[in-house]
Amino acid sequence: KNEVEQSPQNLTAQEGEFITINCSYSVGISALHWLQQHPGGGIVSLFMLSSGKKKHGRLIATINIQEKHSSLHITASHPRDSAVYICAVSRLIQGAQKLVFGQGTRLTINP
Amino acid sequence: NAGVTQTPKFRILKIGQSMTLQCTQDMNHNYMYWYRQDPGMGLKLIYYSVGAGITDKGEVPNGYNVSRSTTEDFPLRLELAAPSQTSVYFCASSFQWHHNSPLHFGNGTRLTVT
């Protein structure tokens, strides 16, 4: 079992739908990152959070530390949201902070 | 403000050849990282640096070398390219260590070794 599990692996939706991508992790963490990887390959940081909820435009990220779970929501989805969304957790391993990445969720929004 | 700039975008190498992937950032970040991304896998850390003159191995350092002579530049060198090094490589930087600071990524270098 991977330390960071994302679900679903692939998601196809229609424009305008509300999207939820989930990230579960198995150990205590210092912070959690949500990243977006565009079809052209570039990676952009969307959120970094260690508690609660953050919002930026149509994107909302939440984290539940007790349940070791985070969600990324996209409201009023648009074809330009089509990308791979990656969850990564910062955690202490053998005295050093390590960043462990999930495998990503491929999102396709159809017009 | 260019952020993190990687060159080249694409490269094809023959087995045994060497090359340097360039990475530069203009945000005065102390922390820089090299990752590789293989199909179906999460990004894996190759090397990282916490400041000029300081580098350390990540999870998958074999076959690679780095240097950090300036704050801005963090090149990654492949000395004897092998097919197992076919991957997409990303350079990233952050103001503080990644548990305190978001990461800024370059656009990636797609490397094929044949």
Side-chain angles (χ1 to χ4, degrees):
Chain A
K1 190 179 188 311
N2 293 330
E3 281 188 57
V4 180
E5 293 277 354
Q6 289 187 234
S7 63
Q9 287 191 310
N10 294 282
L11 178 58
T12 300
Q14 291 300 120
E15 183 173 356
E17 285 189 37
F18 181 82
I19 302 299
T20 296
I21 298 170
N22 298 298
C23 176
S24 297
Y25 49 93
S26 54
V27 294
I29 65 171
S30 306
L32 184 142
H33 300 255
W34 279 105
L35 310 170
Q36 180 191 53
Q37 185 168 20
H38 295 288
I43 299 175
V44 174
S45 176
L46 297 176
F47 296 103
M48 188 188 77
L49 64 169
S50 54
S51 65
K53 175 179 169 178
K54 287 191 176 180
K55 184 175 190 288
H56 185 256
R58 295 180 295 107
L59 273 60
I60 303 165
T62 65
I63 187 168
N64 185 317
I65 297 296
Q66 286 73 29
E67 294 187 6
K68 296 186 172 61
H69 181 267
S70 176
S71 293
L72 177 68
H73 305 286
I74 305 175
T75 62
S77 60
H78 190 276
R80 65 175 174 266
D81 297 325
S82 298
V84 175
Y85 291 84
I86 301 170
C87 170
V89 299
S90 296
R91 58 175 291 245
L92 199 60
I93 302 175
Q94 296 178 330
Q97 286 286 347
K98 306 286 187 187
L99 194 57
V100 182
F101 292 83
Q103 293 176 313
T105 295
R106 184 175 298 277
L107 174 65
T108 303
I109 305 295
N110 292 319
Chain B
N1 195 337
V4 179
T5 303
Q6 278 184 248
T7 56
K9 288 181 71 73
F10 304 94
R11 184 73 186 267
I12 298 174
L13 283 182
K14 293 190 187 309
I15 294 171
Q17 285 185 321
S18 62
M19 77 163 293
T20 299
L21 282 67
Q22 302 290 347
C23 175
T24 187
Q25 52 91 10
D26 61 0
M27 296 172 283
N28 202 33
H29 287 170
N30 279 326
Y31 296 82
M32 296 188 75
Y33 319 82
W34 273 106
Y35 293 97
R36 59 177 288 171
Q37 184 181 41
D38 299 309
M41 309 280 287
L43 281 81
K44 298 292 185 188
L45 181 65
I46 305 171
Y47 270 94
Y48 67 95
S49 169
V50 300
I54 307 169
T55 63
D56 209 346
K57 296 178 181 178
E59 303 168 77
V60 291
N62 291 343
Y64 307 95
N65 273 302
V66 293
S67 59
R68 185 91 184 271
S69 56
T70 66
T71 300
E72 294 78 20
D73 300 307
F74 190 41
L76 177 72
R77 179 133 182 104
L78 285 69
E79 289 293 349
L80 290 170
S84 60
Q85 293 177 305
T86 293
S87 189
V88 181
Y89 292 84
F90 287 96
C91 179
S93 73
S94 60
F95 178 65
Q96 295 180 340
W97 203 220
H98 52 69
H99 67 291
N100 278 329
S101 183
L103 294 166
H104 299 257
F105 286 85
N107 285 330
T109 296
R110 186 174 294 274
L111 175 67
T112 303
V113 182
T114 61

